[in-house]
Amino acid sequence: MGKITNLHNLPAAIVAAVQNDPYVGGGDISTTKLIDSPQIRVLGGKHKDEISVDVSERVWALLGQAVHTILERAGLKEQGMVVEERLYATVNGWAVSGQVDRMHCDLGKLSDYKVTTVYKKNGSDGWTRQLNVLRWLAHKNGHEINQLEVIGIFRDWRKTEAERNPDYPQAAIMAIPVPLWSLEDAEEYITERVYAHQAASRGEEVLCTDEERWFSGNTYALMKAGVKRALKVSTDRSALPELTEGQHIEERKGEYKRCEHYCDVRSFCRQRVEAP
C-alpha cells in the first residue's frame, strides 16, 4: 500500500485497521485489477514504496471490508452455498482470480455485496464487468450461474427522501440486478484484458481510457451577454438552439476526476502531465 499518512489526525484504531489490511489477492491478476487500468496497475507495482495514501482516503474501503466480516458472522452455510471463496482460471499463461461473496449454486445466483451510493441504484458498467468475469470464473470451476446481483448498501441513504420520492430506494439496502453476458463474450473480454495487462507489464504504453480516468465530459453552455448563468447546457453543441443577438456558446472543458483527485499513482503518470 505504500506510506500511510494521517493528515486529519484520525483515531489510532482507524489507522491501524487500514494498515492491517488482510487483502492479498491471488494468481497473476485479480478480477478487480483485470477490469481496471493496466497503466495504474503497473505504475502501482513499480512505485509501491513511494506511494503515499492518507487514511481518510481508505475509510469507505474499510467499511466495505466490514461488510464481509458481517457476512462471515451470518454463517451462510446452506446446502449448495459458496461464501467468500477465491476462484482461478488460466488465460494466456496468467492465473486470473476472483473472490465471490456469496454464490447459491442450486439457484444459479451470484451475489456481490458493496457499500455504495444511491447514485448507483441502477448499477454500473464496472459492476457488470466484474460480476460477469466472476461468473465466467465460476463456470470454469464447475458452477453454472444464470443470475447476477449486487447487494447495495447505501452509505448516503435518507429516510425522508424515501418517503417523498417513490423512485428513491425504499431501504438502505437493496438487490440490484446485473446484466448477464454470454460466456463467449465474457471470455473474449477477459482475454483482451489479459493481453492489455501483459503488454503493460512488458513496458508497452497502454494509456488509460477516458472512462478509466473518470472523464466528466465536455459541455457547451448557451450564454447571454451580461448574464452569468447559462440559458442552457448540453453535452452536444448541435442540440443548443441557434444563437440570437447577444448570445454566444461557451465550451466548458471536462475534468479527469480520477487523475486529479483519486489516482494513487498520479504523481508518477506521464499521461496525466502530457495528455489533455
Side-chain angles (χ1 to χ4, degrees):
M1 185 181 293
K3 304 171 186 176
I4 300 296
T5 60
N6 187 15
L7 301 178
H8 302 281
N9 197 30
L10 299 184
I14 299 297
V15 177
V18 170
Q19 291 175 328
N20 296 329
D21 186 351
Y23 178 78
V24 293
D28 294 295
I29 191 167
S30 67
T31 297
T32 51
K33 294 289 187 182
L34 182 76
I35 68 175
D36 202 1
S37 159
Q39 179 169 238
I40 290 176
R41 181 186 62 82
V42 169
L43 287 175
K46 182 178 180 181
H47 299 282
K48 62 182 180 180
D49 294 330
E50 305 166 69
I51 294 172
S52 179
V53 179
D54 194 67
V55 170
S56 62
E57 298 176 28
R58 290 292 184 262
V59 169
W60 297 124
L62 196 62
L63 289 181
Q65 293 170 357
V67 170
H68 296 281
T69 301
I70 293 169
L71 288 178
E72 292 174 3
R73 195 174 75 187
L76 299 174
K77 300 297 182 182
E78 307 165 38
Q79 183 68 29
M81 186 73 70
V82 175
V83 180
E84 297 283 335
E85 182 173 312
R86 184 164 291 276
L87 306 175
Y88 296 84
T90 300
V91 180
N92 198 37
W94 271 21
V96 177
S97 77
Q99 183 162 303
V100 298
D101 288 350
R102 185 173 185 263
M103 186 164 60
H104 202 312
C105 300
D106 292 347
L107 297 178
K109 178 187 288 189
L110 189 152
S111 303
D112 193 77
Y113 288 72
K114 295 186 182 297
V115 177
T116 185
T117 69
V118 171
Y119 175 76
K120 288 190 174 182
K121 65 183 178 67
N122 295 317
S124 75
D125 291 341
W127 293 355
T128 299
R129 290 189 285 264
Q130 180 190 3
L131 266 69
N132 276 281
V133 171
L134 289 174
R135 180 204 179 207
W136 180 84
L137 286 170
H139 168 73
K140 287 295 184 179
N141 284 269
H143 306 295
E144 298 308 319
I145 300 298
N146 52 44
Q147 297 179 68
L148 300 173
E149 67 178 9
V150 164
I151 306 300
I153 302 172
F154 302 120
R155 60 180 184 248
D156 56 350
W157 184 81
R158 292 177 293 160
K159 184 176 182 179
T160 53
E161 185 65 19
E163 293 172 345
R164 185 190 69 81
N165 182 3
D167 293 328
Y168 192 83
Q170 295 301 293
I173 302 175
M174 70 177 289
I176 305 168
V178 171
L180 204 67
W181 295 349
S182 70
L183 289 169
E184 293 75 18
D185 286 347
E187 182 162 336
E188 181 179 353
Y189 168 77
I190 293 165
T191 302
E192 289 176 352
R193 295 304 297 170
V194 167
Y195 285 161
H197 279 275
Q198 289 177 333
S201 293
R202 291 192 300 268
E204 297 180 27
E205 187 175 63
V206 183
L207 298 178
C208 293
T209 64
D210 282 353
E211 182 182 5
E212 289 167 344
R213 299 175 75 191
W214 302 353
F215 183 50
S216 62
N218 296 329
T219 58
Y220 301 90
L222 176 62
M223 307 296 296
K224 184 176 181 179
V227 180
K228 292 184 178 181
R229 187 172 181 178
L231 301 177
K232 186 176 181 180
V233 178
S234 175
T235 56
D236 181 2
R237 182 167 184 161
S238 64
L240 296 175
E242 292 187 13
L243 297 179
T244 60
E245 186 177 351
Q247 292 183 346
H248 66 278
I249 301 294
E250 177 181 278
E251 182 178 0
R252 299 175 176 177
K253 295 292 186 181
E255 181 184 15
Y256 294 98
K257 295 184 177 180
R258 188 179 193 180
C259 299
E260 297 307 315
H261 306 292
Y262 300 103
C263 182
D264 291 345
V265 298
R266 58 187 179 271
S267 299
F268 312 100
C269 180
R270 286 176 51 194
Q271 183 181 8
R272 175 174 175 255
V273 175
E274 298 175 0

